[in-house]
Amino acid sequence: MIKLTEKQWGKIYKLIAQEFPPSYLLIRDVQRRELGFTSRRHSYYDIDNYRWTEEICLDFYNDTKETWFRLKYL
């Protein structure tokens, strides 16, 4: 699993959207099959800053595709 901020995910999302058809990011089954991961939003209360924080979690199902993603986008 990779955790990203909204800003980080926004940049990566734009790069993926330029390279792949829209269905790769909009349909979870296609996203999992073609890109090797699914994305989800996770919210938690940050006690140190006294506010809710939201992050994007990418759950990978394929080790090879996770390595490819890390090399290409991170």
Side-chain angles (χ1 to χ4, degrees), residues 45-51:
Y45 188 74
D46 187 358
I47 295 173
D48 297 332
N49 296 323
Y50 302 106
R51 64 185 175 102

Side-chain angles (χ1 to χ4, degrees), residues 5-49:
T5 64
E6 293 274 344
K7 188 175 181 179
Q8 291 171 324
W9 176 239
K11 290 178 183 178
I12 293 170
Y13 188 93
K14 286 180 185 177
L15 292 172
I16 293 172
Q18 290 174 356
E19 188 175 342
F20 297 102
S23 64
Y24 279 41
L25 291 167
L26 298 175
I27 303 170
R28 292 178 65 80
D29 289 338
V30 175
Q31 188 179 46
R32 182 177 178 172
R33 183 182 68 236
E34 300 298 330
L35 300 176
F37 68 88
T38 57
S39 60
R40 62 184 167 89
R41 293 188 181 279
H42 177 72
S43 298
Y44 65 92
Y45 188 74
D46 187 358
I47 295 173
D48 297 332
N49 296 323

